[in-house]
Amino acid sequence: MEEQLTQAEEQHLEEVRNLRRMFQRTREEEAAEERREMNQMLRNREEKIESLKEMLRDREEKLGERESHLKRAEEQHLEEARNLRRIQRTREEEAAEERRELSQMLRNQEEKIESLKEMLRDREEKLGERESHLKRAERQLRVQERKMRHLHSLLRDRGFEVEDSEASIL
């Protein structure tokens, strides 16, 4: 019976060690995957922002070219100057509206990035909590191991033969 108890203890300790290893690997893999996903999302958003900035620069450059053309046309055709100014005003208003829209899009993207950063911080905080729970579980395991050693000691004191508790626990 004592041998069965020792084998059961050994099996239990091996199961605990296996569970510890599995939990540690799972936690590390989940955290690494979350970090990869968040980093990819950040990279995607940053690429989108760069693309929008490039679009804005291109459109501003085109707008500048259009304005130059209008000025040359004004010098050549004084009679059409009023019409050209009206067209120019309309285009400038559209360009301003477009700039406002693009600026708003850029602000929205930046807000999304900040939101993603906040999500990353939250997930890292949750990871810290998971690590805290694991440490608490490890402390509880050590308490159980001490209790097991104490039980072995009591059994030995009462005359039962018990394997060395340190060897069977570790």
Side-chain angles (χ1 to χ4, degrees):
M1 174 150 180
E2 293 171 6
E3 185 176 314
Q4 288 176 340
L5 181 60
T6 302
Q7 286 177 348
E9 290 170 348
E10 287 176 2
Q11 286 177 343
H12 174 71
L13 291 174
E14 184 60 32
E15 288 173 4
V16 168
R17 283 191 292 272
N18 288 338
L19 286 172
R20 253 196 220 153
R21 285 190 294 270
M22 282 177 27
F23 182 75
Q24 180 67 27
R25 278 193 302 269
T26 301
R27 193 183 84 230
E28 289 171 357
E29 291 169 0
E30 288 174 352
E33 182 61 29
E34 285 179 6
R35 283 189 199 102
R36 281 191 296 278
E37 288 173 2
M38 294 303 290
N39 287 335
Q40 184 60 47
M41 289 170 72
L42 284 173
R43 283 191 297 276
N44 291 346
R45 293 295 179 191
E46 289 169 350
E47 289 173 6
K48 180 69 174 176
I49 287 171
E50 285 304 315
S51 171
L52 290 172
K53 285 180 181 178
E54 184 63 32
M55 238 173 45
L56 182 61
R57 283 191 293 269
D58 289 345
R59 288 181 181 181
E60 287 175 340
E61 182 179 322
K62 288 177 183 177
L63 180 63
E65 292 170 7
R66 287 178 187 168
E67 290 172 347
S68 293
H69 176 74
L70 288 175
K71 286 180 184 177
R72 285 192 304 274
E74 284 177 349
E75 293 171 3
Q76 294 172 4
H77 306 282
L78 292 176
E79 191 171 312
E80 295 179 3
R82 287 184 295 259
N83 292 337
L84 290 175
R85 273 183 255 151
R86 205 175 358 205
I87 291 171
Q88 184 178 4
R89 273 195 304 274
T90 302
R91 287 182 178 173
E92 287 173 351
E93 288 171 0
E94 290 172 352
E97 180 63 32
E98 191 169 325
R99 276 191 220 103
R100 282 191 292 276
E101 290 173 4
L102 288 173
S103 294
Q104 183 61 45
M105 288 173 63
L106 183 59
R107 281 192 297 277
N108 290 345
Q109 291 299 322
E110 289 170 347
E111 288 173 5
K112 286 180 184 179
I113 286 173
E114 286 305 315
S115 174
L116 288 171
K117 286 179 181 177
E118 183 64 33
M119 286 174 57
L120 179 60
R121 284 190 290 272
D122 290 346
R123 288 192 178 169
E124 287 175 345
E125 181 179 312
K126 287 178 184 175
L127 179 60
E129 290 172 8
R130 287 180 184 168
E131 289 174 348
S132 174
H133 290 296
L134 178 60
K135 287 179 183 177
R136 191 174 319 118
E138 289 172 344
R139 284 193 300 272
Q140 290 174 349
L141 179 61
R142 286 193 294 273
V143 166
Q144 291 298 322
E145 289 171 346
R146 283 195 296 274
K147 286 180 181 179
M148 187 65 76
R149 285 193 294 269
H150 179 64
L151 178 61
H152 281 204
S153 175
L154 289 175
L155 287 171
R156 270 192 238 105
D157 290 345
R158 293 191 179 162
F160 291 95
E161 285 189 33
V162 179
E163 268 189 41
D164 182 27
S165 63
E166 289 296 321
S168 67
I169 291 173
L170 300 174

